[in-house]
Amino acid sequence: MSEQQQHGPLAGFTVGVTAARRADELGALLTRRGAVVVHAPALRIVPVSDDTELLSATKELIAAPPHVVIATTAIGFRGWVEAADGWGHGQDLLDTLRGTELLARGPKVKGAIRAAGLTEEWSPESESMAEVLDRLLTEGVEGRRVALQLHGEPLPGFVEALRAGGAEVVVVPVYRWMPPEDIAPVDRLIEATVARALDAVTFTSAPAAASLLSRARERGLLAGLVDALHHDVLAACVGPVTALPLQEHGIDTVQPERFRLGPLVQVLCLELPGRTRTLTVAGRRFEIRGHAVLLDDGLRPVPPAGMALVNALAKRPGWVVSRADLLRALPGAGSDEHAVETAMARLRTALGAPELIQTVVKRGYRLALDPAAGTKYGGA
């Protein structure tokens, strides 16, 4: 059995989750593959039963039925119908929808529509809102009233394109986002990202990404957050719309081909292990991961100071790294080189194999690189 099979492809990595909805599902998928998960919902969802904007849009559509209704998510469509029923407008809404051209973004939405006793007119094979927009604009929307069921996040350019084509657009805001009631987890996530204590941060909605960036700006940490996500911490987004707020800051993102949680996790399972460094140290396989070292077939969790030392030594494998250089690599170590000795002792304990790191008297430390690995030994 391989190391990844034993420990999971994400073993040794720490992943931040910014999602509010389906965060437990995403966290479970990551944990099952070995990751340590840090959850900090960047937004919260307004309960539909309390949403006066949704009630107002529902009444408006019942009073003046639209020609076209676009259902974008199954949970959003169900939530809309259930909320209308709770307000005493359920049957009126269903009657209104029954008389419209009802478009479903994908198969899950089709299922929700049919469960409500309705039938969709059409659904794109690609599950793409771009294809929905192309169909509407090709048919022509001049003078048509179009209702768009949103689910938490806007669709950039979609409403504008319909209005430019002459349509009257009514937005149905199911599950609107608001800032989290407890901002502390978000602050901790930002700080951990800036400190490179995370290996990746996942985003499942554009508002969550925008909210994280906005909070970082409020705290004076935006430049540090952007730098971390740009260089060291992987930003993984469920799709291109979600990535937009990050891309506006020059942050590169990775995305799955299919905009689902499972494929998002699979992208991380490929990307993060692909960024690891593997050496042969004292005759053993030494793979450096986010907060751990995979030593042969054993995963050895390492404290942050220890990982800082490992990474500093691995930049010059087999070469002596001075205590002064290692001190500069330690987070918040100050000017006392004794901190290096303390951190090194803890690192060796964590690895369970002191012989992996050699002490070079009066000079510093080096990884006991296997000469057969082909890396030249040298001085400081």
Side-chain angles (χ1 to χ4, degrees), residues 190 193-194 196 209 212-214 216-217 220-235 245-252:
I190 292 170
T193 304
V194 172
R196 278 66 170 175
L212 192 75
L213 293 165
S214 175
R217 182 183 292 109
L221 295 173
L222 180 60
L225 179 68
V226 169
D227 185 68
L229 291 173
H230 187 62
H231 292 106
D232 302 300
V233 181
L234 182 67
L246 298 164
Q247 290 172 348
E248 288 172 2
H249 288 272
I251 298 167
D252 294 327

Side-chain angles (χ1 to χ4, degrees), residues 51-64 80 87 93 145 147 170-173:
D51 199 331
T52 55
E53 284 192 29
L54 178 60
L55 174 58
S56 176
T58 302
K59 287 181 176 178
E60 181 184 346
L61 292 173
I62 291 170
W80 183 19
W87 294 323
L93 176 61
R145 186 170 164 83
V170 178
V171 174
V172 182

Side-chain angles (χ1 to χ4, degrees), residues 20-83:
R21 187 174 69 88
R22 299 181 70 191
D24 290 345
E25 180 183 350
L26 177 55
L29 288 170
L30 292 166
T31 302
R32 201 174 303 143
R33 287 159 179 79
V36 171
V37 175
V38 177
H39 182 217
L43 296 167
R44 63 186 171 91
I45 300 171
V46 179
V48 289
S49 57
D50 300 336
D51 199 331
T52 55
E53 284 192 29
L54 178 60
L55 174 58
S56 176
T58 302
K59 287 181 176 178
E60 181 184 346
L61 292 173
I62 291 170
H67 299 93
V68 181
V69 174
I70 306 164
T72 63
T73 63
I75 189 172
F77 186 81
R78 284 196 301 269
W80 183 19
V81 172
E82 289 167 4

Side-chain angles (χ1 to χ4, degrees), residues 25-245:
E25 180 183 350
L26 177 55
L29 288 170
L30 292 166
T31 302
R32 201 174 303 143
R33 287 159 179 79
V36 171
V37 175
V38 177
H39 182 217
L43 296 167
R44 63 186 171 91
I45 300 171
V46 179
V48 289
S49 57
D50 300 336
D51 199 331
T52 55
E53 284 192 29
L54 178 60
L55 174 58
S56 176
T58 302
K59 287 181 176 178
E60 181 184 346
L61 292 173
I62 291 170
H67 299 93
V68 181
V69 174
I70 306 164
T72 63
T73 63
I75 189 172
F77 186 81
R78 284 196 301 269
W80 183 19
V81 172
E82 289 167 4
D85 193 52
W87 294 323
H89 300 298
Q91 192 57 53
D92 290 338
L93 176 61
L94 291 176
D95 290 343
T96 298
L97 295 175
R98 198 168 281 115
T100 69
E101 180 183 342
L102 190 51
L103 307 182
R105 184 183 62 83
K108 290 185 178 179
V109 194
K110 284 198 291 187
I113 288 171
R114 293 175 185 180
L118 305 169
T119 305
E120 77 286 349
E121 181 85 13
W122 176 81
S123 179
E125 288 187 14
S126 65
E127 301 182 38
S128 164
M129 288 300 288
E131 192 175 342
V132 175
L133 182 61
D134 286 343
R135 174 188 170 95
L136 289 170
L137 295 179
T138 300
E139 289 179 347
V141 293
E142 179 74 43
R144 303 190 83 192
R145 186 170 164 83
V146 179
L148 174 63
Q149 172 255 309
L150 291 176
H151 184 88
E153 58 189 88
L155 296 170
F158 194 93
V159 172
E160 292 82 354
L162 289 176
R163 286 177 176 155
E168 177 191 354
V169 182
V170 178
V171 174
V172 182
V174 185
Y175 296 105
R176 287 187 299 118
W177 304 112
M178 291 187 72
E181 291 179 338
D182 182 7
I183 200 70
V186 174
D187 287 345
R188 288 194 292 270
L189 181 73
I190 292 170
E191 292 162 5
T193 304
V194 172
R196 278 66 170 175
L198 301 181
D199 301 294
V201 180
T202 60
F203 299 91
T204 57
S205 74
S211 176
L212 192 75
L213 293 165
S214 175
R215 180 59 181 171
R217 182 183 292 109
E218 289 174 13
R219 298 192 59 213
L221 295 173
L222 180 60
L225 179 68
V226 169
D227 185 68
L229 291 173
H230 187 62
H231 292 106
D232 302 300
V233 181
L234 182 67
C237 298
V238 77
V241 172
T242 297
L244 287 174

Side-chain angles (χ1 to χ4, degrees), residues 282 284 344 347-349 351-359 366 368:
R284 305 181 68 175
M344 187 62 71
L347 170 60
R348 284 169 163 160
T349 299
L351 293 175
E355 70 278 7
L356 297 172
I357 301 172
Q358 297 174 335
T359 301
R366 70 180 175 195

